[in-house]
Amino acid sequence: MKSPETTSYPSSDQIEKIFLEVLDLRSELVGAVDTFQYYLDEVDENHVESARNLLHYLAFRSKDLRPLQISLAAMGLSSLGRAESHVMATVDAVANVLFGLSRKVRQAPALNNSTIKFKKGEKLLSEHTESLLGPAREGRGVRVMVTMPSEAADNFGLVYNLLQEGMDCVRINCAHDNVEVWMKIVKNLRKAERELGKRCRIIMELPGPKLRTGPLNPGPQVIKVRPVRNEIGRVIRPAVIWLTSENITHFHPSPKCTRCVLQVPDPWLQYLNVGNKIKLIDARGSKRVLSVVDSKDHGCLVETNKTLYLTPQTVLRISGTEADKYQTHVENIPHSEIPIILKPGDQLILTRNQSPGHPAIYDDVGIELAPAKIGCTLPEALDHVEVGEMIWFNDGKIGGVIDRIEDEEIIIRIKQSREKGRKLRGDKGINLPDSYISLPSLTVDDLNYLDFIAEYADVVGLSFVNSARDVEMLQDRLEKYGDKQPAIMLKIETKQGFHNLPSILLTAMRSHCFGVMIARGDLAVECGFERMAEVQEEILWLCEAAHVPVIWATQVLESVAKKGTPSRAEITDAAMGHRAECVMLNKGPYILNAVRTLDDILSRMQAHQIKKSSMLRELRLAREFTSIKRY
């Protein structure tokens, strides 16, 4: 009878070899600090230990450690896979165990007792997070940040409800609205804080040098309104229109009205009451009737079960009346925009000016006479492009290759789009991932906003951070505010910013308090969608090694915020966000639902996951199975 097989265990020679590998690795970590000491000489005292740990981690990850990991795991030891926040302590712990197991090594390794211990790394990250984003809520360590819509300036109830439902940080994007609107949002938030007894940080994000498409030739002044129909064409939800006074500065739309707001003269509006019918003949000559279903101080809610097209010439008449005072026209209908439709193989001309663009022009038999043309907002960016480089539009929905470069324009051949084409409109993002663009991340507008931000915000967001020099420029500008200078949030959204992240972090450590936002929308276009999962992981690792809080941003629960219901993929993505210190939601008509959903997801995930570590909370299904009595 054969004896049972025994578990293979490393010999003394193998243990000694692994031990020496670990010591060699440790020497490289020590050497990295000596090599880059000039970074440590500049950092704020709040970040000295964290900067040293980051240098250790960069040296640690500059090698392929997989063979060593396999050897350590085979011995039942730590495989070094959770070393981010305490690199040297992890290596020292493994070295000590290997020394105890070795029969050949006689002299104990000289280890440094001043390194960050296991708990200290977590403590530093927690302290830095609270300093930047405020204290955590009970039962949820990850904060929730919400981008404020323009209506938050005049809708106190929205801000109040968001704060009540779980919002920890307000994000104001300075690429939109103006100082007057931002001031109103700040006042509404402070009022909500007082009434609820809660605190909420304000992050104001600078626009930066965003390259966008220019305007298009205006189309006709027309608004199309249509009900929602099911698969067989029956109306399941009427078209809803909010009629409001042309004399008020800000709209007050009904919560039920999310799509169409029309302005009409105030005197005519005062004649409307619930139950009234409004008759009209729309732009196609079709007779239509609107029913008044709600009336408030600032307007009326009307419904219709039929599609209609409204223009400035459309006459609205209260049913049952003939007098002129009972009829009016719709006011201030904007010009519609005629988008450019781009299919694979199409040509597009991108110009250096912002003269209105236009779709391709065809003759009567469909022969193209002139290709589509559109301008851009940052013409100096085109100085850095080369023939053969890729260019992307509208968050990567449309992609092309630069065919030719001329003095005032570049000619692009579309390679990526739907077979039937995608729409390109004005004010859509342009990405040049193959081009090296050396533009400063602070614009003239950004600098003009800093006084307001320093007065009212807790954190200033720096967009399009490409290099350590961008961080230095902002730090230099903020110095004049002394004790009132806000903390810094660095948006990593370009390929250059990602590649320069180590020097960016070490430079940012000269400031007392800062954090990093993973702007996954632009970053995915810049680095490639197929690399996005890898890229966001690397950013999380480096920031944890630096004990820097991370904001997980872009399209989190977007379907919930915009449509009210999530997709399965979005729930998983939001759960992954638990590995950051804050998750950002964008605006939408159902943003309250999104905050509630995210709060629930993050609270549940806290018991299961901390960073990369799975927490072994009791599983009910496991307990129920093992408690079954067997007879």
Side-chain angles (χ1 to χ4, degrees):
M1 184 175 177
K2 293 182 178 179
S3 61
E5 292 184 7
T6 57
T7 303
S8 175
Y9 197 78
S11 65
S12 294
D13 288 341
Q14 290 173 319
I15 293 174
E16 182 185 16
K17 179 177 179 294
I18 297 170
F19 176 66
L20 293 176
E21 279 187 59
V22 172
L23 289 188
D24 287 343
L25 173 62
R26 190 183 191 284
S27 295
E28 293 193 33
L29 305 190
V30 173
V33 173
D34 294 336
T35 302
F36 297 101
Q37 181 64 41
Y38 59 90
Y39 277 114
L40 295 176
D41 294 339
E42 297 289 329
V43 302
D44 183 89
E45 61 180 10
N46 193 41
H47 296 294
V48 172
E49 291 177 293
S50 300
R52 188 179 291 112
N53 190 70
L54 175 58
L55 290 172
H56 287 159
Y57 187 72
L58 291 168
F60 182 73
R61 294 305 303 271
S62 66
K63 301 168 65 68
D64 186 353
L65 297 174
R66 288 174 293 180
L68 177 58
Q69 284 187 292
I70 292 170
S71 298
L72 292 171
M75 299 173 66
L77 301 180
S78 165
S79 60
L80 308 173
R82 278 296 297 119
E84 281 78 13
S85 66
H86 36 69
V87 181
M88 191 66 84
T90 302
V91 173
D92 284 353
V94 171
N96 272 319
V97 173
L98 289 170
F99 172 72
L101 294 173
S102 175
R103 296 176 183 175
K104 290 194 170 187
V105 180
R106 298 301 178 191
Q107 185 174 355
L111 304 181
N112 184 0
N113 292 324
S114 66
T115 57
I116 293 177
K117 299 299 186 285
F118 291 89
K119 289 293 183 183
K120 182 65 180 293
E122 295 176 10
K123 184 173 182 289
L124 283 171
L125 178 56
S126 178
E127 289 173 352
H128 295 166
T129 301
E130 184 163 338
S131 180
L132 181 76
L133 303 171
R137 297 204 173 206
E138 186 176 350
R140 169 165 61 78
V142 179
R143 281 66 165 179
V144 172
M145 180 185 297
V146 180
T147 302
M148 289 293 100
S150 302
E151 68 179 284
D154 297 293
N155 190 339
F156 169 72
L158 173 63
V159 180
Y160 180 97
N161 290 333
L162 286 170
L163 186 59
Q164 187 177 43
E165 292 295 338
M167 177 177 70
D168 303 290
C169 308
V170 154
R171 172 179 175 252
I172 297 175
N173 187 353
C174 296
H176 304 290
D177 303 315
N178 53 46
V179 169
E180 179 187 358
V181 174
W182 305 334
M183 187 71 255
K184 290 183 177 181
I185 293 173
V186 170
K187 287 182 177 179
N188 278 340
L189 177 64
R190 296 309 183 209
K191 181 182 176 184
E193 285 179 323
R194 290 192 299 271
E195 293 191 10
L196 289 169
K198 298 178 183 290
R199 285 287 293 143
C200 183
R201 295 292 168 94
I202 297 176
I203 291 89
M204 295 193 69
E205 191 176 293
L206 298 170
K210 177 65 173 176
L211 179 60
R212 293 184 177 275
T213 54
L216 292 169
N217 280 324
Q221 287 177 276
V222 62
I223 291 178
K224 179 182 179 181
V225 183
R226 61 182 177 183
V228 178
R229 300 179 185 273
N230 62 16
E231 291 79 1
I232 60 174
R234 291 180 179 171
V235 173
I236 56 176
R237 191 163 66 243
V240 182
I241 303 170
W242 178 247
L243 299 178
T244 190
S245 171
E246 63 177 346
N247 297 323
I248 62 173
T249 306
H250 301 285
F251 297 141
H252 297 262
S254 161
K256 292 163 59 181
C257 179
T258 59
R259 292 184 178 273
C260 185
V261 178
L262 299 178
Q263 289 179 289
V264 293
D266 188 64
W268 183 83
L269 189 65
Q270 301 306 314
Y271 292 121
L272 292 178
N273 295 296
V274 174
N276 283 155
K277 303 291 184 183
I278 301 171
K279 292 185 176 181
L280 61 96
I281 298 176
D282 79 351
R284 301 170 301 169
S286 300
K287 294 180 179 180
R288 294 289 182 259
V289 176
L290 305 175
S291 301
V292 179
V293 295
D294 196 7
S295 179
K296 299 183 183 299
D297 292 341
H298 299 285
C300 290
L301 201 65
V302 299
E303 292 181 349
T304 179
N305 284 331
K306 294 188 176 181
T307 301
L308 65 152
Y309 292 77
L310 300 170
T311 71
Q313 288 72 46
T314 303
V315 177
L316 305 180
R317 180 178 289 108
I318 301 175
S319 180
T321 64
E322 297 296 335
D324 289 343
K325 69 178 181 179
Y326 293 119
Q327 65 182 44
T328 191
H329 294 268
V330 178
E331 305 285 339
N332 300 324
I333 293 181
H335 287 273
S336 61
E337 187 180 62
I338 302 176
I340 297 172
I341 309 295
L342 294 170
K343 302 187 293 294
D346 285 351
Q347 195 177 73
L348 174 68
I349 297 175
L350 183 65
T351 68
R352 291 177 176 272
N353 58 59
Q354 289 201 60
S355 57
H358 58 76
I361 300 172
Y362 298 90
D363 65 13
D364 293 340
V365 294
I367 297 175
E368 185 178 282
L369 302 175
K373 180 181 288 190
I374 198 165
C376 69
T377 59
L378 206 64
E380 57 267 35
L382 303 187
D383 295 337
H384 305 273
V385 303
E386 301 287 344
V387 171
E389 292 180 338
M390 285 294 295
I391 182 169
W392 295 90
F393 299 90
N394 195 13
D395 294 332
K397 293 183 176 68
I398 301 169
V401 173
I402 297 173
D403 268 356
R404 196 167 73 252
I405 301 173
E406 299 183 354
D407 290 342
E408 294 301 318
E409 57 193 33
I410 64 174
I411 290 79
I412 300 158
R413 182 65 60 184
I414 301 302
K415 297 290 185 181
Q416 299 286 334
S417 183
R418 287 177 178 163
E419 202 61 37
K420 294 181 180 179
R422 284 187 180 274
K423 295 178 181 178
L424 179 62
R425 302 180 184 273
D427 198 36
K428 296 300 179 183
I430 303 174
N431 292 89
L432 297 162
D434 298 336
S435 310
Y436 182 80
I437 300 176
S438 56
L439 297 175
S441 61
L442 279 174
T443 67
V444 174
D445 284 342
D446 293 341
L447 297 175
N448 291 335
Y449 297 150
L450 283 180
D451 285 346
F452 183 91
I453 292 172
E455 180 69 25
Y456 297 104
D458 302 292
V459 183
V460 56
L462 182 63
S463 299
F464 303 101
V465 182
N466 288 321
S467 67
R469 179 60 189 146
D470 293 331
V471 181
E472 290 175 343
M473 288 176 62
L474 179 60
Q475 289 170 327
D476 291 344
R477 292 286 180 170
L478 292 178
E479 276 187 3
K480 72 174 186 177
Y481 299 106
D483 294 339
K484 291 194 68 174
Q485 63 179 286
I488 296 172
M489 180 188 73
L490 305 173
K491 285 188 71 178
I492 304 302
E493 51 192 324
T494 67
K495 187 186 291 187
Q496 291 176 53
F498 170 65
H499 286 159
N500 292 326
L501 185 58
S503 59
I504 287 172
L505 291 174
L506 288 163
T507 302
M509 285 178 175
R510 299 175 189 175
S511 299
H512 183 73
C513 182
F514 77 100
V516 165
M517 174 183 282
I518 308 178
R520 300 183 302 158
D522 280 309
L523 196 56
V525 178
E526 291 270 327
C527 296
F529 287 91
E530 66 282 358
R531 280 205 66 204
M532 192 57 222
E534 176 187 7
V535 166
Q536 65 190 19
E537 284 295 297
E538 291 189 29
I539 296 174
L540 284 168
W541 295 337
L542 260 66
C543 288
E544 186 181 0
H547 310 129
V548 172
V550 173
I551 296 101
W552 180 276
T554 312
Q555 295 180 328
V556 178
L557 297 180
E558 186 174 34
S559 294
V560 182
K562 291 186 175 180
K563 300 177 182 178
T565 55
S567 68
R568 287 186 294 273
E570 283 181 325
I571 295 296
T572 303
D573 178 64
M576 280 290 293
H578 188 272
R579 293 178 52 194
E581 282 63 53
C582 179
V583 178
M584 190 193 87
L585 295 171
N586 264 323
K587 54 196 173 184
Y590 299 97
I591 185 61
L592 273 173
N593 289 359
V595 171
R596 293 187 193 106
T597 303
L598 183 59
D599 177 69
D600 184 53
I601 291 170
L602 296 176
S603 299
R604 291 174 183 273
M605 284 301 298
Q606 182 154 303
H608 293 284
Q609 188 87 23
I610 294 180
K611 291 295 184 181
K612 288 196 300 183
S613 295
S614 296
M615 306 306 293
L616 302 181
R617 191 207 76 177
E618 176 192 60
L619 294 181
R620 187 175 66 182
L621 59 89
R623 186 186 70 242
E624 289 176 351
F625 177 80
T626 56
S627 66
I628 296 174
K629 294 181 180 179
R630 298 182 181 181
Y631 298 98

